[in-house]
Amino acid sequence: MKNLLDNLYKNQSIIYKSFLLAFSVFLIVYFFPTGGQFKYEIIKSKPWQYENLYAPFDFAILKSNEEISAEKSKIIETHIPYFNYDVNTGKEVKSSWQNQLNTSQDSLLINNLAISEFISGTIDEVYENGIRIKDESVNNYTIVFLIKDKVVNEVLYKDILTQEDLKPFLNLKINESDLLSIRNDLLEVFFEVFKVNVEYDKALNKNQIQSKFDQISYTRGRVSKGSKIIAKGETIEGEKLRMLRSLKNEYESQSLESSAFVVVVTGYTFLVLLSLLMLLLFIRQYRPDIYDNNNKITFIFFNILFLVFLTLLIMRLDTDYIYVVPLCILPLTLKAFFDARLGLFTHVITVLILGLVVPNSFEYMFLQIIAGIVTILTVSELYKRANLFISVVQITLVYIFAYFAFNMIKEASIAEINYNNFIYFLLSGVGLLFVQPLIYAYEKVFGLVSDLSLLELSDTNSKLLKELSNVAPGTFHHSLNVANLAEAAANEIGANSLLIRVGALYHDIGKMKSPIYFTENQTTSVSPHDELSPTESAEVIIGHRLEGIEIAKRRNLPDRIIDFIRTHHGTSTVYYFYAKQKEEEDGEVAIDDFRYPGPIPFSKETAILMMCDAVEAASKSLKEPNTQLIDDFVEKIINKQIEEDQFINANITFKEIQSIKKILKAKLNNIYHLRIEYPD
């Protein structure tokens, strides 16, 4: 039992990765669509490259989207609209119009029955078909259905007067009467009492149109089982194209039998497993530091699952919208946290997985892989908003250009290209702009560090660095010098210069606890070490590393920065106090009491910092520096670190170390070069 637990503990990383791989494969395959798959590629206007194809079963030939749209448009154009006639409004106006008149209007009717009858008759005539609000969308000369008291009447639309039609209609009626002298008074009466009582019935018209849509036949004929659909070498166009697309649709809409379902799911499982396994092997071979970190592996798999699920969700809504998904956010994110090569490889693997289920898989994979390559090539310094915006514009244009060129071949006609996808590409580009808040969220959830955070940390006006400059100004100046040296060395060998600059700025923050014990902060010739034994002095000096780690954790500095604090002295010794102790005791001294606890540097960046820190600190002891002295000094410091095996865990080569030496020599020569004496 103990051996089993020991083996589980030793292999916990492998066990976790195996579980993560299996769980990811299960989730992806579980949400994959499992309908039938059409095994042939249909390319319009190209010869059929396969053997003669015969109908495996009876199926209907589907109408094209254009034909369906044309039928719907015709239904809308020929639809006779329904209008509701409010009977109560007409009755109310007829019965109460006299009660609404003012005193001057009332005087018209006194002892004048003709005027009263004229007004009543005109009201009857107007409300024969009612009054409506003017609507430019309906032709005035079309027939409409007027629903009056639950009875549908067919009337000319122009016979239903609008408020604008009333005045010319009333003028005409007055002209035909003997009441021209009181025209204005009559018009005033009419406009006072008339009310709109006819309105367009939106709900009824919508239902009527929809019911006609439901009666549309989406097929145009059938193909019998055994009928030849297309022969090898025939061009895929016209009726042949319609039959092939109809057969493909029939395959994909069919539910699989239980035995076939198991076979399909097993096939999906093998392919998805193979794809994700290739990703893991790639990371293990070329990014071992990432492979050994389960948190980073989880982060990569989470991003893959997130984009696969988002694409599958969009497919369930409508497959036409798959290009809305900003798939290039994956290489963008991984490049921000890791590197371009891993970002592109992961993007390609994700596209291959989605290519198993998306329609027009070759077109989809071609566009997404091209866009992913452009993403990696164009996006640099993601923390600059202008760079991100320019890159998004370039990615969107490449999407549009590649899609347009691809469909020129596929459709053999510019007119038949689906231009709606251009809008989807633009929406996808807008989605890519959300990569910065997404990166911020990932940093908080997964504890990773991107260039955006490093840029913030590199600001010397930050609270912690301000405190360092006030409490330990000499250490702050030393850190700035080390940062400049390390950044130049990192640029020379292609390391992460921004990361190493930030690491250099914070590597000695532990000296804030007891700044006076470090020579760069001492302003007089009196040293507090004079009152301590060499062992106690060494303990204080070595302790700044642990103090720095504690301060960094309290201030929530990322682990990648704390790594520089941990490793910048490796397992080297505080040789000055070790030699002093030997001198005092005149015998053997335990060197481990004067040795930093490590760990030693484990990356190019931490190794560079160790070299630059040692060289910069020791260079202060040079009395009369010259080129030869500086060259020998740099060689001595770094060669000693090599002899003490400080770099055996770092992926840095001797050639790169030689390049770093050259940079340090050049920089120190620039710092310590002698100026000519100016005459008094």
Side-chain angles (χ1 to χ4, degrees), residues 395-677:
I395 293 165
T396 305
L397 290 176
V398 166
Y399 263 130
I400 293 173
F401 178 79
Y403 175 81
F404 186 78
F406 199 98
N407 279 268
M408 286 174 66
I409 300 171
K410 183 179 175 182
E411 301 293 341
S413 170
I414 294 177
E416 295 189 26
I417 294 176
N418 183 6
Y419 291 98
N420 287 336
N421 280 327
F422 291 173
I423 299 174
Y424 304 150
F425 292 139
L426 293 174
L427 293 175
S428 175
V430 172
L432 288 176
L433 294 174
F434 287 91
V435 69
Q436 288 187 335
L438 186 64
I439 287 173
Y440 177 79
Y442 281 152
E443 287 178 334
K444 299 304 178 185
V445 174
F446 290 93
L448 300 172
V449 183
S450 69
D451 286 351
L452 295 171
S453 292
L454 291 176
L455 186 68
E456 292 176 4
L457 291 170
S458 67
D459 183 7
T460 54
N461 288 316
S462 66
K463 188 175 180 181
L464 183 54
L465 291 180
K466 274 284 187 184
E467 188 177 338
L468 176 64
S469 67
N470 292 329
V471 175
T475 299
F476 178 71
H477 185 259
H478 159 72
S479 298
L480 284 176
N481 289 338
V482 173
N484 292 331
L485 292 174
E487 186 176 20
N491 286 327
E492 182 68 19
I493 67 169
N496 190 331
S497 59
L498 183 56
L499 173 63
I500 197 171
R501 179 172 184 82
V502 176
L505 289 173
Y506 291 92
H507 79 284
D508 267 345
I509 57 173
K511 292 181 180 179
M512 288 194 298
K513 185 71 177 291
S514 307
I516 196 64
Y517 285 91
F518 300 90
T519 55
E520 66 266 25
N521 299 311
Q522 295 169 1
T523 57
T524 66
S525 58
V526 179
S527 171
H529 289 290
D530 296 339
E531 300 177 3
L532 301 177
S533 67
T535 304
E536 290 172 329
S537 293
E539 187 177 337
V540 173
I541 298 298
I542 292 171
H544 86 275
R545 171 192 161 278
L546 185 59
E547 294 290 348
I549 294 171
E550 290 177 356
I551 292 172
K553 287 183 176 179
R554 284 200 305 270
R555 299 300 183 90
N556 297 316
L557 290 185
D559 281 340
R560 289 179 77 186
I561 305 306
I562 297 176
D563 285 339
F564 287 94
I565 302 174
R566 291 190 182 102
T567 61
H568 74 279
H569 284 296
T571 55
S572 61
T573 57
V574 187
Y575 192 78
Y576 174 82
F577 292 109
Y578 169 68
K580 189 175 180 182
Q581 183 72 18
K582 281 183 69 176
E583 201 176 287
E584 289 181 4
E585 293 190 6
D586 196 22
E588 290 297 324
V589 175
I591 194 170
D592 287 342
D593 293 340
F594 298 87
R595 188 184 300 279
Y596 284 94
I600 60 176
F602 55 84
S603 65
K604 287 181 182 179
E605 288 77 16
T606 51
I608 291 170
L609 178 64
M610 185 179 193
M611 296 181 216
C612 295
D613 181 46
V615 167
E616 204 285 331
S619 68
K620 298 294 190 294
S621 64
L622 295 175
K623 301 297 184 185
E624 296 180 2
N626 55 53
T627 301
Q628 186 60 48
L629 185 62
I630 288 173
D631 290 356
D632 293 342
F633 166 78
V634 171
E635 290 286 345
K636 178 184 174 183
I637 295 289
I638 296 179
N639 287 343
K640 184 181 178 184
Q641 291 175 335
I642 295 172
E643 290 168 7
E644 292 177 350
D645 294 332
Q646 297 297 320
F647 307 134
I648 58 173
N649 288 344
N651 58 335
I652 192 166
T653 65
F654 282 112
K655 182 179 179 180
E656 289 171 334
I657 292 175
Q658 289 302 121
S659 298
I660 293 168
K661 286 180 180 178
K662 186 187 297 184
I663 288 294
L664 293 179
K665 291 172 186 177
K667 288 289 182 181
L668 289 177
N669 272 297
N670 287 336
I671 293 171
Y672 292 108
H673 74 282
L674 297 176
R675 298 181 183 272
I676 61 171
E677 283 191 31

Side-chain angles (χ1 to χ4, degrees), residues 1-273:
M1 183 66 179
K2 184 179 178 182
N3 290 336
L4 177 62
L5 292 175
D6 287 344
N7 287 331
L8 288 175
Y9 180 77
K10 290 177 182 177
N11 298 305
Q12 58 178 323
S13 181
I14 296 295
I15 294 170
Y16 176 78
K17 290 181 180 67
S18 300
F19 170 77
L20 182 63
L21 179 64
F23 183 67
S24 300
V25 171
F26 169 77
L27 281 181
I28 292 173
V29 174
Y30 180 80
F31 288 102
F32 264 5
T34 51
Q37 292 289 319
F38 190 62
K39 59 184 179 180
Y40 304 106
E41 188 76 19
I42 303 172
I43 305 177
K44 183 180 177 182
S45 302
K46 295 293 179 183
W48 180 253
Q49 299 176 357
Y50 311 98
E51 296 300 321
N52 294 356
L53 180 63
Y54 297 89
F57 43 73
D58 293 345
F59 66 91
I61 302 175
L62 300 176
K63 293 178 182 177
S64 66
N65 292 333
E66 291 76 15
E67 290 174 313
I68 300 297
S69 297
E71 288 189 35
K72 288 183 176 181
S73 297
K74 188 174 182 180
I75 287 172
I76 293 172
E77 289 173 7
T78 58
H79 171 69
I80 299 177
Y82 288 81
F83 285 82
N84 282 321
Y85 179 98
D86 187 353
V87 178
N88 293 328
T89 301
K91 289 180 179 178
E92 182 185 339
V93 171
K94 291 176 188 177
S95 62
S96 62
W97 66 270
Q98 292 188 25
N99 299 330
Q100 299 180 42
L101 302 181
N102 58 40
T103 305
S104 61
Q105 293 169 341
D106 243 350
S107 63
L108 288 174
L109 307 178
I110 296 174
N111 300 322
N112 199 330
L113 185 61
I115 295 176
S116 179
E117 288 177 350
F118 174 78
I119 293 174
S120 296
T122 304
I123 290 175
D124 286 336
E125 196 170 340
V126 167
Y127 278 102
E128 176 68 25
N129 292 319
I131 304 171
R132 61 180 170 86
I133 297 173
K134 189 172 184 179
D135 185 356
E136 299 291 350
S137 63
V138 182
N139 191 307
N140 285 343
Y141 297 96
T142 57
I143 294 173
V144 299
F145 290 129
L146 190 64
I147 305 173
K148 185 188 295 187
D149 204 12
K150 297 183 180 180
V151 177
V152 178
N153 301 300
E154 189 177 281
V155 300
L156 286 176
Y157 188 54
K158 68 181 182 63
D159 289 343
I160 306 173
L161 298 176
T162 66
Q163 292 165 307
E164 289 80 1
D165 295 333
L166 275 174
K167 188 171 183 179
F169 176 81
L170 294 172
N171 279 323
L172 181 63
K173 297 297 293 180
I174 294 170
N175 291 338
E176 293 174 353
S177 70
D178 298 327
L179 304 172
L180 290 175
S181 60
I182 56 171
R183 177 196 302 273
N184 292 335
D185 294 324
L186 288 173
L187 288 176
E188 186 178 342
V189 171
F190 285 130
F191 284 118
E192 188 74 30
V193 300
F194 280 143
K195 297 178 182 178
V196 172
N197 73 324
V198 176
E199 65 176 4
Y200 182 79
D201 193 329
K202 290 183 179 179
L204 179 59
N205 282 287
K206 183 178 179 181
N207 291 336
Q208 288 291 321
I209 292 172
Q210 187 59 50
S211 66
K212 293 176 183 178
F213 283 175
D214 295 339
Q215 295 172 15
I216 293 175
S217 173
Y218 285 79
T219 63
R220 43 177 304 177
R222 295 186 65 81
V223 177
S224 302
K225 180 179 179 180
S227 301
K228 186 168 76 172
I229 297 175
I230 191 169
K232 183 176 182 179
E234 278 192 85
T235 303
I236 305 172
E237 59 185 3
E239 194 66 19
K240 302 288 184 183
L241 177 62
R242 277 191 284 271
M243 286 193 289
L244 285 171
R245 286 177 173 171
S246 300
L247 180 59
K248 180 181 180 181
N249 184 75
E250 192 70 24
Y251 264 106
E252 292 175 348
S253 63
Q254 287 180 348
S255 298
L256 297 174
E257 298 177 359
S258 57
S259 58
F261 177 82
V262 171
V263 172
V264 170
V265 168
T266 303
Y268 277 148
T269 302
F270 286 156
L271 291 174
V272 175
L273 176 63

